[in-house]
Amino acid sequence: LDTVAAVSPNETNVVTLYSEGYARPFVVDLSDLSVLEDEKETTNSLIRGVAARMKELGYKIGGFDACVTSTVFKGSGLSSSAAFEVLLVAILDGLYNNMTIEPKLRAKISQYAENVYFGKPSGLMDQMASSVGGLVTIDFRRPDAEVEALQYDFAAQGYALCVVHTEGDHGNLTNEYAAIPQEMKQVAAFFGGKVLRDVLPEQVEEGVAQLKGKVSDRAILRALHFYDENRRVANLVEALKKDDLFGFFEQIIASGDSSWKLLQNIYVAGSPDQGLALALEMSHRMLAGKGAWRIHGGGFAGTILTFVPQDMLSAYKRRMDSIFGDHACTVLDIRPCGAVFMPVKA
């Protein structure tokens, strides 16, 4: 799935960006790079935020005209905003800096724009995956995240990698998403840490009785998920490197189950709309012992990720499309490239 732009520099300091599906262009004057409160959670804020951070870091910026199209489902958990942010960095980098910004910094600039200008406290994973490209493992223990590309051909093993769009939109669920790191930080603070990485998992497990009543029960459960998930990531990487596909599937399923039970980001509490839960349960009933399934993205609405045997793919797609609508199930292709700039001479 791609977000693609046809771009040309202009002689002004103004960005004019036409995006397929929108009646009017997004217009941003880069003469003003301040954070505008009334611009939060808009496309304009991302354009301004990316330009501001690049200029702050010493890179050249300037106006451009662009036409953008995207096959990344909006508000689906497939990182449409991250793809767009990385695209903006690549445009300004390609037009004015000869593509000198390395992928990790490109991702950090994108995250900054989303955090500070857009107003969403996203992590760095989506931007890193969009910028670096391919299948990657990321270690955030150091300020400069370590990124390792992983090469694995699921198709050669007889499996299709699919996403199922359940029609829910998580674009208006910023508060639900933001509560996850906030609650984890509350647990960390109880033990004198800033984030859970500062606290040993044994401290939390042994201190549940002390935590009870000081933070919410949900915060405790989410903290336990954090530690379990970190261990699972290492197991997932090891399984792929050993070509242990069913060991990988086992960890994927366990990760999804933990998201449902401990992290609690499968649906919004109190809402009868539980498309993600329904998609996961139907996938479980079809793929148990044969493939894998889990929530994809930030959760609460959007998409699930599944690994489907090729000989079941047609039947699986028919089932998911019959429940969630035509083309709800999309087969993905993981390419080893992230942001790419292709200059064309007039």
Side-chain angles (χ1 to χ4, degrees):
L1 302 177
D2 296 294
T3 299
V4 180
V7 185
S8 63
N10 58 41
E11 300 302 320
T12 73
N13 208 32
V14 175
V15 172
T16 302
L17 187 146
Y18 292 84
S19 184
E20 186 177 13
Y22 293 87
R24 298 179 180 178
F26 300 95
V27 181
V28 176
D29 188 342
L30 301 183
S31 300
D32 181 4
L33 295 179
S34 58
V35 178
L36 304 180
E37 289 301 320
D38 61 353
E39 198 176 68
K40 291 276 180 83
E41 299 193 28
T42 68
T43 297
N44 283 7
S45 70
L46 294 177
I47 298 171
R48 199 181 308 276
V50 163
R53 186 57 173 164
M54 287 183 64
K55 184 175 182 180
E56 187 177 290
L57 293 173
Y59 293 98
K60 296 177 182 178
I61 62 171
F64 62 83
D65 302 315
C67 290
V68 178
T69 184
S70 179
T71 53
V72 184
F73 310 130
K74 182 182 177 183
S76 66
L78 287 179
S79 310
S80 58
S81 59
F84 181 69
E85 294 152 13
V86 170
L87 175 75
L88 292 171
V89 180
I91 289 172
L92 289 171
D93 191 17
L95 293 180
Y96 297 107
N97 299 279
N98 299 313
M99 284 301 273
T100 56
I101 301 177
E102 57 95 21
K104 287 199 291 185
L105 181 56
R106 196 180 297 143
K108 291 181 178 179
I109 292 170
S110 301
Q111 181 198 23
Y112 178 90
E114 185 160 335
N115 289 172
V116 178
Y117 281 73
F118 189 86
K120 184 176 180 180
S122 70
L124 189 59
M125 287 192 298
D126 294 352
Q127 289 84 355
M128 197 71 79
S130 295
S131 183
V132 176
L135 188 64
V136 299
T137 176
I138 312 171
D139 189 338
F140 292 102
R141 283 179 295 184
R142 298 174 182 84
D144 187 21
E146 295 180 14
V147 183
E148 179 185 357
L150 298 173
Q151 301 299 325
Y152 197 87
D153 190 345
F154 292 101
Q157 300 296 328
Y159 283 85
L161 181 61
C162 302
V163 289
V164 179
H165 189 12
T166 65
E167 297 301 317
D169 185 344
H170 73 183
N172 61 348
L173 297 174
T174 296
N175 291 338
E176 297 287 342
Y177 183 78
I180 294 175
Q182 288 171 357
E183 291 179 7
M184 290 183 178
K185 288 176 181 178
Q186 290 169 3
V187 174
F190 181 84
F191 294 100
K194 183 178 180 182
V195 293
L196 286 175
R197 191 170 53 224
D198 300 332
V199 182
L200 293 174
E202 295 81 8
Q203 287 179 271
V204 175
E205 288 195 29
E206 295 171 4
V208 169
Q210 288 74 41
L211 277 168
K212 177 71 172 171
K214 304 296 192 305
V215 299
S216 69
D217 293 346
R218 188 176 68 176
I220 299 172
L221 292 170
R222 284 175 164 173
L224 295 175
H225 168 84
F226 171 86
Y227 292 118
D228 292 348
E229 193 73 349
N230 274 344
R231 287 190 288 264
R232 269 189 291 267
V233 170
N235 293 338
L236 283 163
V237 173
E238 183 180 4
L240 283 185
K241 289 182 175 180
K242 289 182 176 180
D243 198 22
D244 178 9
L245 189 56
F246 278 90
F248 173 82
F249 287 166
E250 183 181 355
Q251 294 295 315
I252 286 286
I253 295 168
S255 174
D257 287 346
S258 182
S259 285
W260 198 329
K261 185 172 71 173
L262 301 183
L263 190 62
Q264 300 180 38
N265 67 335
I266 302 299
Y267 50 81
V268 177
S271 172
D273 297 322
Q274 299 184 8
L276 287 176
L278 180 59
L280 289 167
E281 181 57 27
M282 296 309 298
S283 297
H284 166 251
R285 289 169 184 259
M286 288 192 73
L287 301 176
K290 303 169 184 176
W293 56 94
R294 62 151 288 135
I295 187 175
H296 187 73
F300 301 108
T303 56
I304 67 166
L305 177 70
T306 60
F307 296 82
V308 183
Q310 289 286 356
D311 60 3
M312 293 183 63
L313 183 58
S314 295
Y316 181 79
K317 281 177 59 67
R318 282 197 303 272
R319 176 69 64 84
M320 293 299 114
D321 288 353
S322 70
I323 298 171
F324 298 104
D326 292 342
H327 311 298
C329 180
T330 301
V331 180
L332 297 182
D333 174 41
I334 302 180
R335 292 187 299 275
C337 55
V340 176
F341 180 79
M342 296 178 287
V344 178
K345 293 184 178 180

